[in-house]
Amino acid sequence: MGLLSIIRKIKRKEKEMRILMVGLDNSGKTTIVLKINGEDTSVISPTLGFNIKTITYQKYTLNIWDVGGQKTIRSYWRNYFEQTDGLVWVVDSSDLRRLDDCKMELDNLLKEERLSGSSLLILANKQDIKGALTPQDIAKVLNLEAMDKTRHWNIVGCSAYTGEGLLEGFDWLVQDIASRIYMLA
Amino acid sequence: MEDDTLNPNLTESTEDASLQKKHSSMVERLSKRHQTGSDNSESSSPSFESVSSFLSRFNLLKTTIESNLAQSQSLSSQLKPHFDNIAASISDLEKLVAENSYFLPSYDVRSSLKTVSDLKQKLDNLNSQLIPKKKFAFKNKGAKKDSVFIPQQKPSTVANVVSEKTSSIAVRDSPGFRNETGQVLIQDCKGLEVGEFTVSDLDSCEVRIIGTVRALFVHRLKNCKVYVGPVMGSILIEEVEGCVFVMASHQIRIHNAKKTDFYLRVRSRPIIEDSDGVRFAPYCFTYQGIEDDLRGAALYQETGNWANVDDFKWLRAVQSPNWSVLPENERVRIVDVSNMNNGKEEI
Ligand SMILES: Nc1nc2c(ncn2[C@@H]2O[C@H](COP(=O)(O)OP(=O)(O)O)[C@@H](O)[C@H]2O)c(=O)[nH]1
Ligand SMILES: [Mg+2]
């Protein structure tokens, strides 16, 4: 009986992955999602509430939830945690002043029990901007080494403008999620 | 591993999945339609992709929840399951908004989410009023946290990017103007490749940024005038008071601004949050060669977006009281710094 239910679960998730984009406002979440989907990124208004995008990526269907980062709605993030397979935490690597804020929000998010099983991709975005911190620097500031050992995580530098690094990051995320989900198959 | 057959939520989550699939295929079709730019598939769009049918479903559910809430007072026993049911319906309502959000106008998304949070608040209030002892909280109904994940079987794919153990790095300062009072501060970016630029902690200063920068951060300014050329990326403004900003950018976000005027050209809708007494007008800055810079930054065209301000703290259809259009007779005329260019140009 237990096995049956496991199989059912695998079936349900087989090709679909639910990915949550989070991070401070202005970090580039919406731009990244559009860029990955090959859409025009020249005019993007700040996100109020959330956008949901369904993207075919390799053989998977990614259901990407792009949640607005404004303070007013940060408390809504919680509503998107159910069934999240992958978390993408986006950092504006050129926004040095708000790195503390960024670290605090990330730490809070990772305390969420409902997210403890999800893979975590940290995108150090806006690498195209001169003066942006490197992914290594970001990793230090966010103290990623201290992360819970059971967490699957990775940090990748990227630019939503040039597209550089995005595929590397999402490839890792999708592979990591797939390997967790299919482990039992 | 817990057994799903004992989990009363299983049927519900299966339903979610199929709903989600439906939703996914819709989104796909929609985006395809947008991509091809043709609307020949328009006729096949399902009827529930309409705002009005969403609203009628939403309102039906909402009314049901409200009448259930109203009944609570008269119930003497079984209050706990009653409240649990209501909480579940509110979660469903919230999901309905989420499922439909991709085609709803942002106003409807906002107001629906507001309704949802109001209902939650009412429920919480009733609950603490009628069941005072136990703390009630919204729970994750599903509680089906990745039971498929067995942590030990695969070593975590920890990226080894941090080689040396440095507890904290000294965050270096980016180029910018900081901690000044009563100064005229001029940055000429012509011929330089300026990435991000910061303007912070200024009192009674005038700032001029000539040329193009990639990103601009503005923080804690009082009684300042700030004139900037095109910003290729975004501008983030926080904690300003009694200032005038004249700026052009792809995106502008304004947080905690008081009594400040913004003369903007912006490709997307400017947003304000936690602000009041802010007024908006079109961009009016000029220096020698600004046309080329604006063209280079795709900001040559007036978009009219300077007046399309979204107030993230104001979730209603009526005009936000926090911002207004600056009356024409109060606007400054063109700010022309062509002849004050840092002494570089002869008058
Ligand atoms: N230079 C640069 N700007 C970016 C990059 N990614 C996003 N932006 C800009 O940053 C601003 C915020 O992006 P947006 O996607 O709206 O951020 P969100 O609030 O996280 O969704 C926009 O003006 C984008 O054009 C990047 O990789 N490089
Ligand atoms: Mg966004």
Side-chain angles (χ1 to χ4, degrees):
Chain A
M1 201 160 37
L3 186 63
L4 258 181
S5 69
I6 290 170
I7 288 169
R8 207 161 347 151
K9 266 197 173 161
I10 291 169
K11 272 255 150 59
R12 182 164 66 81
K13 290 194 166 189
E14 201 161 30
K15 297 198 93 181
E16 203 173 284
M17 295 177 179
R18 180 150 152 187
I19 304 211
L20 189 63
M21 305 285 300
V22 269
L24 301 187
D25 54 314
N26 197 45
S27 55
K29 299 177 292 294
T30 306
T31 314
I32 288 170
V33 175
L34 295 180
K35 186 78 182 180
I36 284 187
N37 204 27
E39 288 177 63
D40 178 26
T41 56
S42 62
V43 182
I44 295 171
S45 286
T47 311
L48 182 51
F50 44 80
N51 300 314
I52 307 169
K53 268 258 177 296
T54 303
I55 291 176
T56 305
Y57 193 91
Q58 298 167 3
K59 55 185 174 183
Y60 305 103
T61 301
L62 307 189
N63 226 316
I64 303 188
W65 290 56
D66 168 19
V67 182
Q70 280 74 27
K71 270 178 254 136
T72 319
I73 41 182
R74 275 186 209 171
S75 58
Y76 279 120
W77 285 357
R78 235 178 293 120
N79 300 326
Y80 307 102
F81 293 168
E82 267 179 62
Q83 296 173 38
T84 294
D85 301 305
L87 269 178
V88 180
W89 182 266
V90 183
V91 183
D92 178 348
S93 312
S94 73
D95 188 355
L96 311 186
R97 185 179 68 78
R98 290 199 302 167
L99 277 175
D100 283 345
D101 204 6
C102 175
K103 174 172 169 35
M104 205 180 67
E105 295 281 352
L106 176 61
D107 289 347
N108 282 338
L109 188 72
L110 295 180
K111 280 188 204 130
E112 273 291 333
E113 225 224 321
R114 279 171 284 175
L115 292 173
S116 61
S118 56
S119 310
L120 170 65
L121 169 66
I122 293 146
L123 287 177
N125 191 33
K126 307 201 186 181
Q127 288 297 318
D128 60 288
I129 295 184
K130 199 172 153 221
L133 290 185
T134 63
Q136 288 82 353
D137 288 341
I138 300 277
K140 280 179 203 166
V141 175
L142 298 180
N143 199 13
L144 297 180
E145 281 299 281
M147 189 123 48
D148 190 335
K149 290 289 170 275
T150 56
R151 169 85 61 190
H152 293 197
W153 66 275
N154 193 3
I155 179 166
V156 173
C158 73
S159 162
Y161 266 19
T162 65
E164 205 189 316
L166 292 182
L167 292 184
E168 185 194 333
F170 273 80
D171 280 352
W172 173 83
L173 185 66
V174 165
Q175 287 319 314
D176 190 71
I177 294 169
S179 68
R180 284 197 284 113
I181 292 176
Y182 294 125
M183 226 160 27
L184 294 172
Chain B
M1 189 159 293
E2 94 256 38
D3 193 336
D4 271 332
T5 49
L6 298 176
N7 182 349
N9 290 313
L10 182 67
T11 46
E12 220 176 281
S13 53
T14 319
E15 209 173 275
D16 280 351
S18 75
L19 239 181
Q20 218 159 57
K21 214 156 267 159
K22 235 186 252 165
H23 163 256
S24 308
S25 63
M26 260 185 324
V27 174
E28 202 144 61
R29 260 185 292 126
L30 260 179
S31 63
K32 278 212 186 90
R33 194 180 340 165
H34 287 161
Q35 265 161 28
T36 56
S38 76
D39 56 0
N40 48 8
S41 56
E42 204 76 61
S43 54
S44 66
S45 90
S47 59
F48 53 90
E49 270 182 36
S50 89
V51 178
S52 62
S53 68
F54 162 79
L55 285 179
S56 65
R57 270 171 73 191
F58 181 88
N59 285 326
L60 190 70
L61 272 170
K62 177 189 161 205
T63 315
T64 314
I65 293 167
E66 277 170 341
S67 74
N68 281 335
L69 282 169
Q71 275 170 21
S72 312
Q73 302 277 8
S74 57
L75 283 177
S76 48
S77 64
Q78 296 294 302
L79 264 176
K80 178 82 175 61
H82 177 69
F83 284 145
D84 283 347
N85 278 335
I86 297 178
S89 319
I90 297 178
S91 293
D92 287 344
L93 191 64
E94 191 165 43
K95 271 189 199 141
L96 182 73
V97 182
E99 296 289 348
N100 290 278
S101 60
Y102 70 97
F103 71 83
L104 290 175
S106 66
Y107 167 70
D108 291 298
V109 174
R110 274 182 279 176
S111 63
S112 311
L113 287 175
K114 176 84 167 63
T115 303
V116 169
S117 82
D118 286 350
L119 288 171
K120 284 183 179 177
Q121 192 58 52
K122 266 187 211 157
L123 177 59
D124 279 345
N125 292 346
L126 272 175
N127 195 80
S128 50
Q129 203 181 312
L130 300 175
I131 313 182
K133 275 158 285 169
K134 264 206 212 145
K135 183 93 180 85
F136 174 92
F138 267 91
K139 278 208 305 265
N140 165 24
K141 272 198 308 164
K144 46 199 171 295
K145 193 191 59 159
D146 283 273
S147 38
V148 182
F149 176 30
I150 297 173
Q152 291 320 316
Q153 289 200 354
K154 190 176 175 254
S156 48
T157 335
V158 171
N160 232 341
V161 289
V162 187
S163 42
E164 286 149 7
K165 255 183 65 195
T166 319
S167 53
S168 75
I169 65 153
V171 170
R172 63 181 172 275
D173 270 351
S174 61
F177 298 126
R178 296 178 177 81
N179 304 307
E180 302 278 359
T181 306
Q183 301 292 316
V184 176
L185 305 161
I186 301 173
Q187 167 76 33
D188 192 340
C189 304
K190 288 242 154 110
L192 304 174
E193 199 219 313
V194 179
E196 94 280 27
F197 195 88
T198 298
V199 177
S200 78
D201 300 282
L202 303 182
D203 190 347
S204 312
C205 291
E206 179 176 322
V207 177
R208 299 179 209 149
I209 301 174
I210 316 284
T212 306
V213 301
R214 296 297 292 270
L216 180 67
F217 298 103
V218 177
H219 187 215
R220 283 205 297 258
L221 262 53
K222 252 183 127 172
N223 304 322
C224 292
K225 293 190 163 79
V226 180
Y227 309 121
V228 302
V231 177
M232 290 270 276
S234 62
I235 300 177
L236 182 65
I237 298 170
E238 297 190 303
E239 297 175 56
V240 296
E241 191 174 347
C243 297
V244 174
F245 290 96
V246 181
M247 39 187 37
S249 177
H250 286 208
Q251 245 192 32
I252 297 179
R253 300 172 197 239
I254 299 162
H255 300 162
N256 299 96
K258 282 200 186 78
K259 288 210 198 71
T260 289
D261 292 341
F262 294 91
Y263 296 77
L264 305 180
R265 176 168 305 162
V266 53
R267 288 182 57 123
S268 57
R269 300 168 70 91
I271 70 118
I272 62 170
E273 189 169 7
D274 300 315
S275 299
D276 66 86
V278 293
R279 305 188 296 177
F280 292 84
Y283 192 56
C284 62
F285 188 42
T286 191
Y287 55 82
Q288 209 134 66
I290 193 171
E291 284 84 6
D292 288 342
D293 288 349
L294 286 169
R295 256 185 228 108
L299 284 163
Y300 190 66
Q301 232 118 65
E302 176 56 68
T303 58
N305 271 337
W306 61 268
N308 295 327
V309 180
D310 278 329
D311 181 352
F312 278 18
K313 264 287 168 92
W314 187 252
L315 306 178
R316 290 155 61 181
V318 293
Q319 165 70 31
S320 157
N322 299 321
W323 72 273
S324 60
V325 168
L326 184 56
E328 270 181 56
N329 59 358
E330 288 181 50
R331 292 179 193 169
V332 299
R333 282 166 300 143
I334 200 107
V335 179
D336 187 349
V337 298
S338 302
N339 296 326
M340 318 180 217
N341 214 348
N342 217 1
K344 273 184 187 166
E345 272 161 39
E346 304 293 328
I347 299 174

